[in-house]
Amino acid sequence: MHQGGMPLSDARDNPDRVERLSAIADRVTAVPLETNALCRIDRPEKVICSDRDVFVLCNNLIHRFSRNGNFQNSISLHDNSRIHDYAINSQQQLIILDRFRQVHFYTFDGIKRRQEDLSVPAGGQKLKHIAYYAGALWFTFERLSSENVFENGLLRFDLADRSMECFDLPDLDLGRRSVHRHFAPEFAVSENVPYVYSPFAGKDNILRDTLYLLAHEAFDSRRRAEMPFCIYPVRIDRRYLIASYCENIARESNFLFVFDRNSRTSFDTDGFRDDFFGTGIVTDIQPLNTNGSEYYFYKTGKDAVKPFPERSEEDNPVLFFVRLNG
């Protein structure tokens, strides 16, 4: 941890020190998922929350739970197509994207209502992520340019008139020439202003870039509203700027970066020590909704046994909902 006003040359990560989770969170709520023989979850691929429900994607099934973790039902595509990504809308519907650019609309109970074909217009776009916001579906995509360079873009599909609009996704000016990302960009919203997030594969430049963007007021909602869609290296919260990369295969490249705009303090670590439930090190937190008002992490097996002795199985996870300070 260090203060944002320090020279960049003094900003160093200390891998031997782990901050407490309470340094950034004022409440963590445990949600033991009620799994059964037909619903076992070894690794949640994506978790989304509505006001009353929790949805977990795992092994090509979307499992629905109550906010207390009680199992409700499981949903799969009727033709057994692969679920590429999913979102929920304000009409209490699941919106599922398959790998053939088909969008399927299901009730929370698993009844299919309709389907939209987004395979046209052509253009070689590979849809990556889906989100719902302000009556429209937003898809980040990747395409190969005429120069054989992969470019990122954003597609808006209006649900009222079924019109489509594409936006380029330029990189922000970070005051340096080389910018490399790992994750496919994701649509997000902060203070009712949309933006696109994609973290770096490494943490070497993330503090330097964050301070540069802060100095140029790039996170200010009024400034962002005046700009075209750009790719930001951090998620934007009123108080915190967050980025994470967690890949078990390459542990040395993992990081969880949090910058507190109130105190101009950054946390650049391998994770946070869970001092709420004692589940060990939290190496990754992800948002439960598009606006990032609530985050989550999960634990299974030996990491979940201390607070939940009956949860020794590796495919019987406990979700932890995180409310950040401020």
Side-chain angles (χ1 to χ4, degrees):
M1 180 176 69
H2 55 268
Q3 300 297 319
M6 293 174 61
L8 284 178
S9 59
D10 293 336
R12 295 288 184 265
D13 178 37
N14 181 357
D16 297 325
R17 178 197 41 74
V18 178
E19 295 290 339
R20 296 175 301 166
L21 186 58
S22 59
I24 63 169
D26 65 10
R27 186 175 70 184
V28 176
T29 304
V31 183
L33 298 182
E34 182 192 0
T35 55
N36 54 51
L38 300 177
C39 171
R40 304 299 289 186
I41 300 172
D42 53 356
R43 181 180 181 274
E45 298 169 39
K46 183 173 183 177
V47 180
I48 296 180
C49 272
S50 67
D51 291 339
R52 299 174 58 184
D53 297 289
V54 179
F55 298 92
V56 181
L57 173 62
C58 181
N59 297 327
N60 210 36
L61 288 170
I62 298 174
H63 303 293
R64 176 190 173 206
F65 302 88
S66 72
R67 276 276 187 162
N68 294 325
N70 297 323
F71 177 75
Q72 306 295 313
N73 57 284
S74 296
I75 298 148
S76 63
L77 294 179
H78 288 179
D79 58 0
N80 292 319
S81 296
R82 186 72 187 173
I83 297 175
H84 191 68
D85 196 12
Y86 75 106
I88 59 176
N89 65 12
S90 56
Q91 286 75 49
Q92 301 289 289
Q93 290 179 320
L94 278 170
I95 308 172
I96 303 173
L97 171 67
D98 69 24
R99 61 190 183 93
F100 299 110
R101 293 172 57 106
Q102 303 296 310
V103 180
H104 311 260
F105 293 77
Y106 282 76
T107 67
F108 285 1
D109 292 322
I111 300 172
K112 186 171 182 177
R113 292 303 190 193
R114 64 188 178 100
Q115 182 173 328
E116 294 284 352
D117 182 0
L118 297 185
S119 59
V120 179
Q125 296 128 330
K126 182 178 181 181
L127 301 184
K128 306 294 284 188
H129 287 287
I130 181 175
Y132 172 82
Y133 174 69
L137 298 179
W138 299 80
F139 304 86
T140 56
F141 65 82
E142 187 180 72
R143 65 186 169 197
L144 191 63
S145 71
S146 56
E147 292 80 21
N148 288 324
V149 176
F150 283 107
E151 298 176 331
N152 292 301
L154 184 66
L155 171 66
R156 180 183 183 273
F157 179 74
D158 191 294
L159 290 172
D161 60 16
R162 303 181 72 253
S163 62
M164 296 185 189
E165 186 175 9
C166 286
F167 304 89
D168 292 329
L169 288 179
D171 290 316
L172 280 170
D173 174 20
L174 298 174
R176 60 187 180 91
R177 297 182 62 182
S178 178
V179 178
H180 298 285
R181 286 178 302 276
H182 181 274
F183 288 133
E186 299 178 37
F187 179 87
V189 179
S190 174
E191 298 180 273
N192 295 319
V193 179
Y195 68 100
V196 175
Y197 161 72
S198 179
F200 301 133
K203 57 185 177 181
D204 293 344
N205 290 302
I206 191 167
L207 174 62
R208 180 248 178 234
D209 292 344
T210 299
L211 294 177
Y212 181 90
L213 292 172
L214 282 166
H216 290 79
E217 299 181 338
F219 300 118
D220 183 88
S221 59
R222 290 169 296 182
R223 175 78 180 275
R224 286 188 291 113
E226 298 169 356
M227 298 172 62
F229 287 105
C230 294
I231 298 178
Y232 287 78
V234 293
R235 293 191 182 275
I236 304 169
D237 179 69
R238 284 182 176 271
R239 177 171 177 177
Y240 294 105
L241 304 170
I242 300 173
S244 63
Y245 175 67
C246 186
E247 184 179 275
N248 294 331
I249 297 174
R251 171 69 182 172
E252 66 277 1
S253 65
N254 295 349
F255 69 88
L256 175 54
F257 172 83
V258 180
F259 189 94
D260 184 346
R261 288 199 273 182
N262 286 3
S263 63
R264 293 189 63 82
T265 300
S266 70
F267 304 86
D268 190 359
T269 73
D270 292 332
F272 289 79
R273 178 169 57 83
D274 177 13
D275 54 337
F276 291 89
F277 287 91
T279 63
I281 305 302
V282 178
T283 57
D284 189 29
I285 59 173
Q286 294 294 329
L288 284 162
N289 43 41
T290 303
N291 61 19
S293 60
E294 193 175 15
Y295 282 76
Y296 77 93
F297 64 93
Y298 73 93
K299 295 287 186 175
T300 61
K302 60 182 178 59
D303 290 333
V305 164
K306 183 175 181 179
F308 298 94
E310 73 282 4
R311 291 289 173 134
S312 60
E313 303 96 337
E314 292 293 337
D315 57 354
N316 198 16
V318 179
L319 294 181
F320 295 88
F321 294 169
V322 179
R323 188 178 73 181
L324 301 176
N325 293 325

